[in-house]
Amino acid sequence: MDQFEKVSQCSALHPKPAGLVLQYGTSGFRTNAKELDHIMFRMGLLAALRSMKTESTIGVMVTASHNPEEDNGVKLIDPMGEMVTPEWEEHATRLANAEQEALVMALNDIIKMEAINLSQDVTVFIGKDTRPSSKALSQAVLDGVSSLGGHGYDYGLLTTPQLHFMVCCKNTQYRYGTATEEGYYKKLSQAFIQLTKHAPNRTDDQKHLLVDGANGIGALKMREMEPFLQKELQVSLHNDGSHGKLNFLCGADYVKVQQKPPEGIALNAGERCCSFDGDADRIVYYFIDSAGQFHLLDGDKIATLISTYLKQLLTQAGLDLQVAVVQTAYGNGSSTRYLEETMKVTVRCVKTGVKHLHRAAQEFDIGVYFEANGHGTVLFSKGAEERIQQLTVDPNTNDEKKSAAVLLENTINLINQTVGDAISDMLLIEAVLAIQGLTVQQWDAIYTDLPNRQLKVKVADRCVIDTTDAERRAVSPTGLQDAIDMLVKKYQKSRAFVRPSGTEDVVRVYAEADTQESADALAHEVSIAVYKLAGGVGEEPKQFH
Ligand code: 16G
Ligand code: MG
């Protein structure tokens, strides 16, 4: 049977609802799971083509991250474990929206445009999160891969970063690690245990951490990993999926946006706690102080902790490698100021979305990137890794330098450089706190966040908002930026911006100022400006409370 005949036949089993249009957004397709069967089949086809084109293994992850349980989504992973390139995001959108009878034609267009050799072997790795819809949807991906004669390998339940890791391991001929779950646990836990040897007197309190698993995949995988950690980290796992609903009143996104602890955990004053999101690629830390006040340590605080630690080690090792921190417009103004003025590290601001941060971080010897929402990792250039490695074996290096270089080497092994990874980030943070002898309160006190507020506004068409300067300024609709500028002037230490969401049909509003009241008021006033000038629908925005 002709290859395309098979595609036609199989695709009839995964029909596209006529007229349905979906976009490959910031992190792939994401919507109610009921609308996704045809998308999954087609992403299986596209992954097969991408595998032929790159002559490599490609990943397909079925997840909707922090979205509610009834949603689902899919994203493609490129050979080195990074997000798929923008040109292929466009192919994905085109393929997803081709009506049933035009599918083979759309497929052929991509094959021609990319000059794909159809006789090339195809391997696609597939992973899924714990959503009830994920099983059938990942089967649809497999159907897509096999209808083009490809080999789909189903890993079953995985965190998103685990799948990124597997893809990278496979395509580096296992130089990055072994492409199995055990390989992942072993690589990370060995590095963690090595690092904690540099903090020999950790108390039980220091080894103990509360984890909110968002009732998702991260909780399951944390439990699997625990034995590998040999009690160097003792985790109390909450929201582990045994009864609560995925991402409901818990998880990193809830904690960050609501600025309060998740349900399902009783926090004692001073206890260190962290929350993963639904696919475990984000993490935030927090604690309650003795006065009952909630303290959030978000992506900015994490980036500060990690970049400070790395800079110290580089100085100790006598290595002149440049450390930069990449943030988005959501980076708290205090963090940016601290990093630039006190730490003297280069700070780069880019558009929201992991791919933008990842790309920017690749430009430095060591690029630490974190979104304020807790997604981030550290990238080491090949040259930086080589220089660190050389120092560990150089007979002329003194003990202090060698010890710093060994720490850096173990740190590299602990980090999942393919993408932000809640489990890997958590272990890195725990190791850094241990090595530096810092409590969570001391970490928090490095700088004080400016109070801030995020709101969303419903408008008829969010595309009327166009932004520039890494989303910090709106260029359309006319008058909106002027209105924001005027409002910002009313407050102290204030800043505000608006941007169309890449994952939801809303406009997002961010404001920060010297007090919470001012930040709340500014966010509210900017929301009203958006509502009035950008075609708001429904009720006028209300103040957050
Ligand atoms: C996605 C992005 C995340 C970004 C968020 C913004 C990836 C893997 N994830 O979750 O980086 O912060 O979208 O959402 O790129 P928004 O556009 O709805 O504000
Ligand atoms: Mg996520």
Side-chain angles (χ1 to χ4, degrees), residues 65-66 277 279-282:
S65 184
H66 55 278
D277 75 335
D279 62 339
D281 64 353
R282 286 191 199 177

